Amino acid sequence: MAINPSDTEFAIVKETVAGTTPATPAFVRLETIVGSNLNATADPIVSATRRKGRTNAGQRLVNPRVEGTLNTEFTADDAATDFLLESAFSGEFDQDGLLKAGTKETDLTVERKWIDGTTNMFTRYFGCQVSELALTAEFGGIVTADFTVLGRGRATPSNNAIAGATYADASTAPKFAGPDVKNIAIGGLGEVDYSTLNLTVTQDRATQGKLGSAFARGIGTAGKTIELVALLYRKDFGPENLIQNGIENPAVSISFDVEFNGAGYRFIIPAAQPSFPEDSEDGANQMVSVTFSPLGDAVSGTDIMIQKLPLA
């Protein structure tokens, strides 16, 4: 039989020791969009020596790692999504359901299961961290969250589950859609109607190789950038007024909720600097977009936060 994309399952577990899959992992399943993929890869190094008869002297593979993207539809009360958000933000949800972007890394093992009739095939990727979150909310679509992943390596593939492993199902809450993105508050823009919000959190990560080992010693992070692009219906000169004295762009606060029947998340950006607005025409709609770049806030001690809803 052939393996079908619809017969592919992903599951995630937090690693207690970074780069090591727990001995008896408690996996949580992640519902993904077809096209999600993680792959083991490496850099081929071709020998530069000359061999008899102009033949190639071979190559070696170095710097093995895992790369790929887990594409999901955003929903509430999903443990796997929370793990991925924590890794993307380098933080951890506290007892009140607040996640602040910071410096605490979350390392994950991601397991992919292929089902071929009665035969199961498992590939496991260890030492994984999220290097980018791309959250997309459009008025006429499902809210999507795409997690780009970087990992240290792939374990030997197997037809067997890890002995003692358990699996918890993904959340069955409705997927968030455009009507669930509400209470959008961007300082200086007043009462306007939004069409699209695109939030990108990028961690500049790279594996750290070392002599004497096939796998990386860890994953390093050079820095983090955040970008929020808001597309709204043109109403007034509010977007232009965000820019003062020709080139000054004072920071404004931003927040918005993604929730259904009270359950979901509130995204909070304490301070973000706007760019010059850009106009566009979309059929019968006159639109304007503004890109915001968050910066560190002295009061909250971070540049972006997520609060679980309802409030604890």
Side-chain angles (χ1 to χ4, degrees):
M1 294 177 64
I3 298 174
N4 300 303
S6 57
D7 297 327
T8 299
E9 299 177 358
F10 283 93
I12 297 175
V13 66
K14 270 189 180 183
E15 296 174 350
T16 304
V17 178
T20 302
T21 304
T24 54
F27 283 106
V28 290
R29 291 190 172 92
L30 177 71
E31 293 184 349
T32 57
I33 299 171
V34 172
S36 297
N37 208 6
L38 296 184
N39 285 303
T41 187
D43 299 326
I45 306 297
V46 179
S47 172
T49 60
R50 294 170 292 183
R51 182 166 287 180
K52 179 181 178 180
R54 298 182 184 176
T55 58
N56 191 297
Q59 70 172 14
R60 296 293 303 275
L61 297 177
V62 297
N63 190 26
R65 59 197 181 276
V66 174
E67 297 176 344
T69 304
L70 299 173
N71 308 107
T72 72
E73 295 180 336
F74 208 38
T75 189
D77 302 321
D78 187 72
T81 297
D82 286 349
F83 289 166
L84 292 168
L85 288 173
E86 289 179 331
S87 184
F89 277 54
S90 294
E92 190 172 44
F93 283 103
D94 65 18
Q95 61 184 6
D96 297 319
L98 180 65
L99 167 63
K100 286 187 177 184
T103 60
K104 180 179 176 57
E105 304 296 2
T106 296
D107 290 80
L108 307 167
T109 291
V110 181
E111 179 183 83
R112 176 167 53 189
K113 176 183 178 182
W114 286 303
I115 304 171
D116 184 9
T118 58
T119 301
N120 294 325
M121 301 168 60
F122 297 90
T123 52
R124 301 180 184 98
Y125 307 95
F126 57 85
C128 294
Q129 295 181 12
V130 175
S131 57
E132 184 174 278
L133 161 66
L135 185 78
T136 301
E138 299 179 345
F139 76 93
I142 295 289
V143 179
T144 59
D146 300 329
F147 297 93
T148 301
V149 173
L150 177 66
R152 296 200 213 179
R154 183 192 68 190
T156 302
S158 172
N159 291 112
N160 301 309
I162 296 175
T166 59
Y167 294 85
D169 287 336
S171 171
T172 57
K175 308 300 184 184
F176 294 124
D180 306 319
V181 183
K182 58 192 71 170
N183 301 323
I184 304 170
I186 299 180
L189 292 185
E191 295 292 330
V192 296
D193 295 322
Y194 296 87
S195 170
T196 303
L197 292 179
N198 289 303
L199 174 67
T200 305
V201 180
T202 303
Q203 301 270 11
D204 185 7
R205 304 195 195 275
T207 53
Q208 301 172 329
K210 67 175 183 178
L211 294 174
S213 174
F215 298 106
R217 61 181 293 273
I219 293 176
T221 305
K224 177 176 93 269
T225 58
I226 306 172
E227 181 180 272
L228 177 72
V229 181
L231 180 65
L232 55 140
Y233 293 90
R234 168 64 77 176
K235 176 185 177 183
D236 53 26
F237 288 126
E240 281 75 12
N241 293 336
L242 294 173
I243 308 298
Q244 301 175 8
N245 301 320
I247 57 171
E248 296 176 8
N249 56 343
V252 299
S253 62
I254 300 173
S255 66
F256 60 93
D257 296 345
V258 185
E259 60 92 2
F260 180 82
N261 285 343
Y265 302 90
R266 174 170 296 153
F267 289 80
I268 305 165
I269 299 175
Q273 293 178 287
S275 67
F276 278 84
E278 297 183 9
D279 284 292
S280 63
E281 295 178 358
D282 180 14
N285 303 312
Q286 185 66 51
M287 312 300 294
V288 58
S289 66
V290 184
T291 300
F292 295 88
S293 297
L295 68 159
D297 173 61
V299 176
S300 64
T302 188
D303 47 13
I304 188 169
M305 299 178 279
I306 300 179
Q307 175 65 59
K308 288 186 180 182
L309 301 175
L311 297 176

